[in-house]
Amino acid sequence: MKRIGVFVCWCGSNIAGTVDVEKVAEHFRTYPGVVHAESYQYLCSEPGQKIILNRIKEHGLKGVVIAACSPTMHESTFRNTVQQIGFNPFQLEIANIREQVSWVTEDKDSATSKAITSISQIVEKLKGNEALDPIQVPVTKKALVIGGGIAGIEAALNIAKAGYKVYLVEKEATIGGHMAQLSETFPTLDCSQCILTPKMVEVARHPNVELYTLSKVTKIEGFIGNFKVTVHKEPDYVKRADCTACGDCAEVCPVEVPSEFNQTLKYRKAIYIPSPQAVPTIYHIDPETCLGINPIKCNKCAEACERKAIDFDQQPEDILIEVGAIVVATGYDLYDKELMAEYGYGRYQDVIDGLQFERILSASGPTEGKVLRPSDGTVPKRVVFVQCCGSRDPEHHKAYCSKICCMYTAKHALLYKHKVHDGKATVFYMDIRANGKRYEEFVQNAIEHEHISYLRGRVSKIYQENDHLVVMGADTLSGKRVEIEADLVVLAMAMVPGKGTMELAKLLKVGYDENGFLNEAHPKLRPVESLTGGVFIAGAVQAPKDIPETVAQASGAASKVLEMFGQDYLWKEPTIVDVDGSLCSMCGNCVLVCPYGARSLNKEKHIVEVNAVLCESCGACAAACPTGAAQQRNLTDKQIVDMIEVALEIK
Amino acid sequence: MPENTKKELNIKPEEILEIIKDISGQDVYVCYQCGKCTAGCPMSENMDIMPNQIIRLLQIGAFDELLKHNTIWLCASCLTCTSRCPKGVDLARIMEAVRLLLLRQNVAYLNASDIPEEDREELPIQALVGAMRKYSP
Amino acid sequence: MKVNFYPGCTLKTKASNLERTAKASMAILGIELEEMAEWTCCGANFSLANDNIMKMAAPIRNLARAEKVGTELVTICSACYNVLKRANYAVKNDSEKLEKLNLFLEDGKIQDNDDQYHGKVNVLHLLELIKEKIGFDNLKKYIKKPLNGLKVAPYYGCQLIRPQKELEIEDQEAPEILHNLIDALGGDAVDYSMDTECCGSYVEVNRPKEVWLASYRILRQARAAGAKIMITSCPLCLYNLDKHQFDIEKEHSDFKPVPILYFTQLLGLALGLPEEELELNGTKVDPRPVLKESGLL
């Protein structure tokens, strides 16, 4: 029988306060198969780890059970330790007697007996464990960055500058994302485009970066270090090399549609460039609104183009790329103001959202930076800003705080006052959340110096009356209901994941939360990794965040990619699910339930093939297998039965 | 507030929230005091304190203070607050519960005999029946 | 076609013109509103107390009696609609509550046929009946006297539309059913922001001045939007909105009174009912001058 050592951790008083650790150790001293048992204050400490190593040598241990905290905490710590002396790490198992016992049990006797049961189960499991070797995976040292906003640009630049190839995929015709639409940025009031455009140009020109605009990721195969990705690129219908962005084509284009870049506050043509700073700096045809590409209906643009750059024959392409790592940086959208019933369902022209106001404030925007309201182009003398629109409303909209609205609303009010000196700015807020470097100072400065009226309360209704709007709100600080007349109302709409995030998450097999934001691997310690190996996340696709935080996270994601690219091989847990060919009936259940595509039926050879690299050891196939052919390494059916039997005291 | 409601209530202060929860099914601690109820209340013009403050006073256990104000008797049960509350608090039910707490102590806010004869003739029956249900034990 | 009809107290007294114009109009549309047997008052407002099961007895007894005739019960008064529909919703979603009420009905049998309610009745507002059984497009075929683009402010109030989750008749922030009716009658439904704001309801009994203020907000907006006339389905809304207009006019010289009618009166007018059957003399603000001016009388 395997010679097993049991080590019971006190975890200070975390465990020892509730579990009689010495009694537990005593119990295992006479347990079948256990040749050594002891308790110690902190096994994870340096001396604690030494004790384990010494005992392995002294007693010739072939198996080790650490009874301590959750394996997610320290399993790798202990396994790495024992590996130093040539002990196979997969002969070490953790019994969780903290989260599952001491923290959730009050009575000391029952906690102690529950700890004994838990450890017994792990001892029984360990008896069936085999020595395993980690699986080796090669790495393709190229990265894919999905999303060309500030997060994607930053991550792509970081990786490219470190010397690795990056494919940057953007669904729009230009990179830059929402940041390119902003006027000035809090709390420093830097011009957003001024700080962003150099980066846009740099990333597009970088020799290691291959940029695909009007493109989407449509297929992802493979696994960490070895992804095969299909990028679907829509045509520009303009030859990139020949277009000088002179604009003669747009001049003659007869089609006018609301400009997406200007948040519908201005018109664009069917052949257009989203903004003068767009990268790549070329015009392209929007086939949805063009009068006809195939067959050509109008052709005015082609006639006007001196360089003959218009090419109606361009076709969509599917480009296959191979990468080792993927950074998802697809960003956010604003929650649709048309969903705000009591604020008029978006039907009042002068009730706009935050991004629309950014465009109005922007020097390159529809009003060239003059504050003019959409309905009649007059200067609004009374502007009401409403925070938390769609945010912090679990009953009708989104339960979460969108984090950036307090700051950008203060910025909006301030910029408005800078431009319209005799204007009156009123802000409805619930709490001011200004927790960033110089954020609080920024808000207070706006209130003090610009005399912005901050009213603490939510708005119940907005309605039109003659040529102005009326905002029905409250000021809970004075205990008053207020009705404020406004010429323009700016709604600080909630941030939601960008359109298509969920479809992309499914392609990538990355988890997302109830709001559609992508899940990080660990909320504190692994904030830029997803749970799918080789897929990293950056920016507002993970949760609402501002520019500095987005940039920091993008750099973090890039450094994780670089950490991977610093190695020639990756190592992966070997506890995969094998198939015993003699028991397999080729029913295909395991193939069907596998969420990772790791299993396939080979009818010719009459076997189920398992891709060890793709298998994430979830065990779904083992549970689905009707014959017991699918067995997870070190968690076989027999091991599970042994664990159950000892728990039920029938063994 | 008529004189007769000022008499001693036969309820222990610590029981009040429990009773209100039983009657209304609403937990006042769910409210985060955003004031949206107040912002939309069509009857707030002459309320002494605002609808959100009714919940606030309940949250801090100041029930006696709450009784000094006319707010609960001006509430028309129109459900505007209820329909827009971001936290799903049904304030109309809380208003009703506070009224009932008093009415069940046999404290009448309005008796049928208080209504002038000519009004009784003129008012639609639904107004009279409705008012008696809201204002008298 | 006959439908089972619950009139309620107010339609038998103060708002008898609502009932008569509804019946006459529906007769033209081929629907007979057949008054259900042995109905009682619904209670006028829906109790907002969880433990006030006794106040559900009246509406549920009415529904039990209606269930013997069929699965539909049509009502017109917004308050009756609200009470019956909410009580129905409550018992349909809470079998324990229904059981308790049925025990009570059994115990306190007033009629031989009062026994059990099985939750099979669907409460319909007359507006829903028109929308579903006739259709607003189809309704146009019956119009004898189109309203000539008369600007009419639809007033929904509270009880017809809130709570949306239980009543499900309309979007509580942007209802359309009265708008659609007005447009079908050849009128011009004006959009104004106060069509779902409360008129003050039963508070009128005790604090008329507060109701006065609530009504003024509504009327002022309707006027500003160009309304010549308003319509509603609630007798109490009609009373409150109508009653204070001359007082308002005294305080606000720029305010001009707006006559208010039941939607059935406007419907009857467009369907060609003779003037005397429309009973246009029930309100303080006389609607007849406006209707004459518009060539409708």
Side-chain angles (χ1 to χ4, degrees):
Chain A
M1 192 181 280
K2 195 179 267 179
R3 296 174 64 82
I4 291 172
V6 173
F7 299 85
V8 185
C9 185
W10 297 21
C11 195
S13 62
N14 268 306
I15 294 171
T18 323
V19 173
D20 185 340
V21 285
E22 197 30 53
K23 192 175 166 192
V24 173
E26 183 57 37
H27 176 88
F28 283 98
R29 286 187 187 118
T30 55
Y31 193 93
V34 176
V35 296
H36 174 77
E38 70 178 286
S39 73
Y40 186 74
Q41 272 190 325
Y42 288 106
L43 283 170
C44 60
S45 68
E46 186 92 36
Q49 298 192 37
K50 244 181 211 149
I51 289 172
I52 298 167
L53 295 180
N54 290 339
R55 298 294 182 264
I56 291 175
K57 291 181 206 153
E58 286 163 25
H59 298 281
L61 300 181
K62 296 288 177 231
V64 169
V65 173
I66 308 284
C69 55
S70 159
T72 58
M73 226 25 227
H74 279 312
E75 186 183 75
S76 59
T77 313
F78 292 115
R79 284 186 170 174
N80 288 340
T81 304
V82 297
Q83 203 170 6
Q84 293 165 17
I85 57 163
F87 186 91
N88 187 286
F90 296 95
Q91 296 289 14
L92 180 143
E93 292 283 354
I94 305 279
N96 181 356
I97 61 166
R98 193 179 73 173
E99 284 84 344
Q100 291 179 355
V101 179
S102 69
W103 279 357
V104 290
T105 316
E106 278 176 22
D107 176 61
K108 195 156 186 173
D109 286 342
S110 35
T112 304
S113 84
K114 194 174 166 194
I116 288 172
T117 309
S118 285
I119 299 167
S120 306
Q121 286 182 279
I122 299 299
V123 171
E124 292 308 317
K125 172 186 189 298
L126 184 58
K127 285 176 182 171
N129 269 18
E130 287 170 41
L132 301 174
D133 289 321
I135 295 166
Q136 199 184 38
V137 187
V139 184
T140 307
K141 294 184 185 181
K142 295 178 197 167
L144 164 67
V145 176
I146 310 173
I150 182 59
I153 290 173
E154 183 66 26
L157 271 176
N158 287 189
I159 299 166
K161 284 180 180 176
Y164 299 101
K165 171 106 189 164
V166 181
Y167 300 96
L168 178 57
V169 173
E170 166 57 50
K171 68 176 190 318
E172 304 296 337
T174 175
I175 55 171
H178 286 309
M179 190 177 165
Q181 295 176 287
L182 307 184
S183 54
E184 289 165 26
T185 55
F186 63 78
T188 48
L189 299 183
D190 290 295
C191 152
S192 187
Q193 285 196 336
C194 310
I195 57 177
L196 178 66
T197 37
K199 275 185 180 279
M200 289 163 63
V201 172
E202 187 184 0
V203 78
R205 286 198 185 148
H206 199 286
N208 282 342
V209 176
E210 203 158 313
L211 175 60
Y212 295 109
T213 48
L214 295 175
S215 298
K216 275 184 180 168
V217 169
T218 51
K219 196 173 168 192
I220 294 171
E221 290 176 310
F223 45 87
I224 179 167
N226 300 274
F227 293 106
K228 287 187 176 62
V229 181
T230 308
V231 176
H232 180 80
K233 180 169 177 12
E234 292 296 336
D236 303 307
Y237 299 108
V238 172
K239 289 180 221 148
R240 288 197 174 192
D242 295 336
C243 176
T244 59
C246 68
D248 289 350
C249 52
E251 198 91 346
V252 296
C253 176
V255 178
E256 284 206 331
V257 288
S259 153
E260 295 84 354
F261 187 80
N262 283 307
Q263 299 291 123
T264 73
L265 293 174
K266 197 179 173 181
Y267 288 97
R268 64 158 171 86
K269 297 298 182 70
I271 184 161
Y272 73 109
I273 185 163
S275 85
Q277 286 85 2
V279 172
T281 316
I282 57 153
Y283 277 69
H284 73 285
I285 297 177
D286 168 18
E288 299 290 315
T289 49
C290 175
L291 294 178
I293 282 170
N294 185 21
I296 300 165
K297 286 250 173 72
C298 149
N299 205 36
K300 287 207 172 98
C301 53
E303 286 159 15
C305 182
E306 279 179 17
R307 294 176 61 95
K308 306 283 167 229
I310 313 289
D311 178 4
F312 289 112
D313 294 330
Q314 284 184 1
Q315 297 296 323
E317 286 176 80
D318 279 329
I319 302 147
L320 186 72
I321 58 176
E322 291 189 11
V323 295
I326 300 171
V327 177
V328 189
T330 47
Y332 73 97
D333 280 324
L334 286 189
Y335 190 61
D336 197 340
K337 67 178 187 293
E338 287 173 19
L339 298 168
M340 305 302 290
E342 66 274 36
Y343 300 164
Y345 280 125
R347 63 173 180 237
Y348 304 129
Q349 266 190 299
D350 293 322
V351 177
I352 60 174
D353 66 31
L355 274 176
Q356 289 180 310
F357 198 57
E358 291 288 346
R359 293 312 300 147
I360 288 176
L361 291 170
S362 171
S364 69
T367 56
E368 288 160 352
K370 289 193 231 26
V371 180
L372 305 174
R373 64 180 196 166
S375 64
D376 56 8
T378 58
V379 178
K381 295 290 183 182
R382 303 163 295 181
V383 181
V384 171
F385 299 89
V386 185
Q387 293 191 183
C388 298
C389 291
S391 302
R392 303 180 70 190
D393 185 340
E395 186 67 13
H396 307 96
H397 306 289
K398 303 293 176 186
Y400 55 84
C401 164
S402 289
K403 201 171 183 179
I404 65 165
C405 329
C406 286
M407 289 309 299
Y408 80 62
T409 297
K411 179 194 74 177
H412 281 169
L414 182 89
L415 292 176
Y416 165 67
K417 288 288 291 181
H418 284 182
K419 293 186 183 226
V420 184
H421 301 302
D422 60 342
K424 168 92 184 139
T426 306
V427 175
F428 281 99
Y429 74 103
M430 281 171 69
D431 302 287
I432 299 177
R433 293 177 174 174
N435 35 14
K437 190 170 178 178
R438 301 199 201 290
Y439 285 14
E440 174 65 11
E441 297 93 313
F442 179 83
V443 175
Q444 293 310 326
N445 175 62
I447 297 172
E448 288 166 24
H449 289 96
E450 303 299 341
H451 295 187
I452 296 159
S453 169
Y454 267 73
L455 300 182
R456 199 226 161 258
R458 261 193 195 265
V459 168
S460 177
K461 181 169 172 168
I462 298 169
Y463 63 89
Q464 184 93 38
E465 188 175 74
N466 307 323
D467 64 344
H468 62 270
L469 297 150
V470 180
V471 180
M472 286 168 56
D475 178 48
T476 62
L477 298 181
S478 59
K480 284 193 171 19
R481 196 176 91 82
V482 290
E483 287 201 4
I484 301 211
E485 293 186 354
D487 304 310
L488 181 71
V489 175
V490 182
L491 304 178
M493 298 307 304
M495 271 174 121
V496 295
K499 275 179 202 82
T501 302
M502 231 179 269
E503 290 72 21
L504 184 62
K506 282 174 189 159
L507 277 182
L508 290 161
K509 299 187 177 69
V510 167
Y512 47 87
D513 66 20
E514 69 275 25
N515 299 305
F517 290 109
L518 299 190
N519 283 341
E520 61 285 352
H522 187 282
K524 295 173 189 74
L525 302 178
R526 297 173 67 193
V528 301
E529 295 161 74
S530 76
L531 275 174
T532 301
V535 179
F536 304 92
I537 49 185
V541 72
Q542 182 251 347
K545 50 175 66 75
D546 59 15
I547 296 167
E549 237 187 306
T550 295
V551 172
Q553 202 186 15
S555 298
S559 88
K560 283 283 160 192
V561 172
L562 297 177
E563 176 187 317
M564 229 179 99
F565 288 180
Q567 307 161 59
D568 292 329
Y569 294 98
L570 300 172
W571 302 96
K572 193 176 167 297
E573 287 252 329
T575 49
I576 59 166
V577 182
D578 293 318
V579 182
D580 179 345
S582 66
L583 291 176
C584 177
S585 65
M586 293 291 284
C587 71
N589 279 358
C590 62
V591 179
L592 219 60
V593 299
C594 177
Y596 303 99
R599 307 173 81 83
S600 52
L601 277 183
N602 187 330
K603 288 205 173 130
E604 271 171 36
K605 293 190 193 158
H606 199 76
I607 49 166
V608 170
E609 285 173 344
V610 181
N611 183 328
V613 179
L614 282 183
C615 175
E616 287 287 337
S617 312
C618 73
C621 52
C625 177
T627 65
Q631 293 289 335
Q632 183 155 8
R633 292 186 191 167
N634 285 358
L635 197 63
T636 60
D637 287 355
K638 180 178 182 310
Q639 284 175 294
I640 293 170
V641 170
D642 287 347
M643 289 166 77
I644 293 170
E645 284 183 351
V646 76
L648 299 175
E649 295 174 0
I650 51 177
K651 188 177 172 109
Chain B
M1 187 95 212
E3 281 304 304
N4 57 1
T5 58
K6 284 189 183 152
K7 78 174 191 185
E8 289 270 302
L9 287 179
N10 197 13
I11 307 166
K12 293 189 195 120
E14 60 272 23
E15 287 173 357
I16 284 170
L17 279 191
E18 274 311 303
I19 298 172
I20 285 173
K21 193 171 182 176
D22 281 348
I23 301 178
S24 68
Q26 306 298 305
D27 180 350
V28 297
Y29 293 110
V30 172
C31 167
Y32 60 7
Q33 288 294 316
C34 71
K36 195 166 184 173
C37 47
T38 294
C41 181
M43 301 303 286
S44 62
E45 192 84 14
N46 285 308
M47 286 178 175
D48 313 329
I49 59 169
M50 291 296 113
N52 70 290
Q53 292 175 308
I54 292 290
I55 302 195
R56 188 67 194 146
L57 291 176
L58 289 170
Q59 286 173 334
I60 64 170
F63 193 68
D64 290 344
E65 167 74 17
L66 185 159
L67 293 184
K68 291 180 196 156
H69 303 289
N70 64 7
T71 306
I72 56 168
W73 305 113
L74 285 180
C75 164
S77 305
C78 73
L79 307 192
T80 304
C81 52
T82 299
S83 68
R84 293 181 187 153
C85 176
K87 295 298 295 293
V89 177
D90 193 337
L91 177 52
R93 281 184 180 269
I94 293 175
M95 294 279 193
E96 181 100 332
V98 178
R99 285 190 294 263
L100 284 172
L101 199 75
L102 298 170
L103 298 177
R104 287 174 186 179
Q105 298 273 316
N106 225 9
V107 179
Y109 179 64
L110 184 76
N111 290 306
S113 53
D114 301 336
I115 306 169
E117 183 69 30
E118 71 262 28
D119 284 1
R120 266 184 272 171
E121 291 288 308
E122 217 186 292
L123 282 160
I125 288 187
Q126 68 181 105
L128 293 166
V129 176
M132 284 303 106
R133 288 205 155 185
K134 296 286 178 182
Y135 297 147
S136 74
Chain C
M1 183 174 64
K2 275 186 190 175
V3 293
N4 204 19
F5 167 57
Y6 175 91
C9 312
T10 310
L11 267 67
K12 289 296 175 188
T13 50
K14 191 82 186 143
S16 55
N17 54 344
L18 172 53
E19 178 177 22
R20 282 189 292 268
T21 49
K23 282 190 163 171
S25 302
M26 294 313 286
I28 296 173
L29 299 173
I31 293 177
E32 185 187 337
L33 297 177
E34 190 175 45
E35 184 167 326
M36 69 173 273
E38 306 294 343
W39 58 270
T40 66
C41 171
C42 67
N45 52 36
F46 183 73
S47 170
L48 298 174
N50 280 356
D51 61 355
N52 233 347
I53 195 156
M54 284 310 296
K55 296 208 167 146
M56 303 259 292
I60 296 302
R61 187 193 292 116
N62 281 312
L63 292 174
R65 289 176 186 171
E67 200 175 44
K68 300 209 179 306
V69 182
T71 56
E72 267 177 7
L73 184 62
V74 174
T75 180
I76 310 176
C77 162
S78 297
C80 299
Y81 172 70
N82 188 281
V83 173
L84 291 172
K85 191 140 183 188
R86 291 196 75 181
N88 203 23
Y89 180 94
V91 300
K92 281 186 182 183
N93 290 285
D94 184 346
S95 54
E96 204 181 312
K97 202 166 252 175
L98 178 60
E99 209 172 297
K100 263 191 210 166
L101 278 159
N102 276 336
L103 281 173
F104 172 79
L105 292 187
E106 180 70 37
D107 260 9
K109 239 185 223 186
I110 300 172
Q111 301 273 324
D112 276 348
N113 61 355
D114 279 341
D115 42 16
Q116 300 284 293
Y117 179 52
H118 305 91
K120 287 188 183 142
V121 174
N122 186 19
V123 178
L124 277 178
H125 193 273
L126 184 64
L127 285 165
E128 290 175 290
L129 187 81
I130 295 171
K131 179 180 166 183
E132 282 162 25
K133 296 277 159 71
I134 293 160
F136 289 124
D137 265 341
N138 193 34
L139 177 62
K140 291 177 188 159
K141 285 191 236 159
Y142 296 86
I143 306 293
K144 294 251 170 56
K145 199 187 282 178
L147 300 181
N148 288 337
L150 177 67
K151 285 190 171 284
V152 184
Y155 178 70
Y156 296 88
C158 314
Q159 308 238 47
L160 182 64
I161 51 168
R162 279 189 291 268
Q164 185 178 332
K165 187 179 148 215
E166 295 178 30
L167 302 182
E168 288 182 321
I169 177 172
E170 283 287 276
D171 180 332
Q172 63 192 7
E173 298 289 354
E176 287 176 348
I177 199 163
L178 280 173
H179 287 78
N180 295 340
L181 176 74
I182 293 164
D183 291 341
L185 301 182
D188 179 5
V190 303
D191 276 323
Y192 67 117
S193 53
M194 294 283 150
D195 56 349
T196 63
E197 293 282 314
C198 178
C199 69
S201 188
Y202 54 78
V203 176
E204 170 69 17
V205 176
N206 182 51
R207 302 278 295 248
K209 179 71 188 185
E210 271 73 23
V211 172
W212 195 111
L213 285 166
S215 299
Y216 175 48
R217 292 168 77 215
I218 298 162
L219 295 164
R220 190 167 58 94
Q221 291 288 339
R223 259 289 178 220
K228 299 270 185 217
I229 209 161
M230 287 176 88
I231 56 166
T232 182
S233 69
C234 177
L236 181 50
C237 295
L238 179 120
Y239 178 83
N240 285 346
L241 289 173
D242 177 54
K243 187 182 173 195
H244 305 290
Q245 295 209 33
F246 295 115
D247 301 326
I248 294 170
E249 198 184 14
K250 266 180 223 153
E251 267 194 36
H252 301 275
S253 54
D254 58 336
F255 175 76
K256 272 174 66 188
V258 200
I260 177 157
L261 291 177
Y262 291 118
F263 73 95
T264 51
Q265 292 174 295
L266 202 64
L267 173 65
L269 176 73
L271 292 174
L273 285 181
E275 184 177 340
E276 60 278 11
E277 280 190 43
L278 295 172
E279 304 186 55
L280 298 167
N281 54 354
T283 46
K284 287 193 187 318
V285 184
D286 191 342
R288 286 168 291 197
V290 170
L291 296 175
K292 282 206 180 99
E293 212 176 275
S294 310
L296 296 167
L297 286 181

